[in-house]
Amino acid sequence: MKKQNIYLVFTFLLLIPYLCSLTLIGICYNALVRHSSDLFRSFIGALVGTIIMFAIKATIQRPLDLVSAKVPDNFFKQILRFYSIRRRKLFLVGNCLVDFVLCWLAMDLVRRCFSLSFIIGNSVGIVLLIMLISTCIGAYIEYDNLSIDPKQK
């Protein structure tokens, strides 16, 4: 896999969907919870968001392992390993804490940046469309390398 393709796959298949997932968590929380700025409710929302992010990361382990195996740059490999849930428990706990903070931040930014009518209205569809297009582009770029059943030669 070319280095340029690795960065494109990372951007379209991992980074953009990850940011969209955080945004969806923020949108859904603010659309469903009355008094969403309450500290305890925000804590519970971020905790639920962290569990959702963990589940999302479980689904991307195969492409993540394939992409990270091809990366020569150690710094970029460490960035890719951030998404991995197959690590030591200390790193896994740290990963969950980072997701917790990012979920809380996403919930707060959505609440501050968008009106309630936009949050309840079109926002989920827009974010899902961005996620779908991004995932399709990322999978298309390196379909052969990321497929589960590689072509027989």
Side-chain angles (χ1 to χ4, degrees):
M1 188 184 297
K2 296 180 193 173
K3 189 174 184 178
Q4 178 185 6
N5 285 1
I6 292 171
Y7 291 124
L8 288 174
V9 167
F10 169 74
T11 301
F12 288 111
L13 200 59
L14 298 172
L15 183 62
I16 292 174
Y18 182 78
L19 294 174
C20 287
S21 297
L22 287 171
T23 305
L24 282 173
I25 288 168
I27 289 169
C28 293
Y29 170 77
N30 285 294
L32 294 173
V33 176
R34 186 178 291 196
H35 306 294
S36 59
S37 61
D38 181 64
L39 189 63
F40 179 72
R41 291 178 186 193
S42 294
F43 177 82
I44 298 299
L47 187 63
V48 170
T50 301
I51 294 167
I52 292 169
M53 292 304 290
F54 187 81
I56 289 170
K57 287 178 182 180
T59 64
I60 64 167
Q61 286 305 295
R62 170 86 174 146
L64 182 66
D65 292 341
L66 292 171
V67 170
S68 63
K70 308 274 185 181
V71 175
D73 182 17
N74 196 29
F75 177 72
F76 187 60
K77 188 175 279 201
Q78 293 304 317
I79 292 173
L80 284 172
R81 290 183 70 195
F82 166 75
Y83 291 93
S84 179
I85 60 171
R86 295 180 186 168
R87 299 178 72 185
R88 289 184 282 169
K89 289 187 185 202
L90 178 66
F91 289 119
L92 190 59
V93 169
N95 193 324
C96 287
L97 288 174
V98 168
D99 280 343
F100 180 84
V101 170
L102 290 175
C103 286
W104 193 307
L105 185 64
M107 293 180 324
D108 191 52
L109 285 174
V110 166
R111 180 175 46 251
R112 292 175 191 265
C113 295
F114 301 117
S115 67
L116 187 58
S117 62
F118 179 75
I119 291 171
I120 294 173
N122 299 329
S123 59
V124 171
I126 292 168
V127 174
L128 283 175
L129 180 64
I130 292 169
M131 186 184 289
L132 175 69
I133 291 170
S134 173
T135 305
C136 289
I137 291 171
Y140 177 76
I141 291 171
E142 283 297 325
Y143 177 78
D144 292 335
N145 290 327
L146 297 175
S147 65
I148 295 172
D149 192 22
K151 294 179 183 178
Q152 299 292 329
K153 292 185 179 180

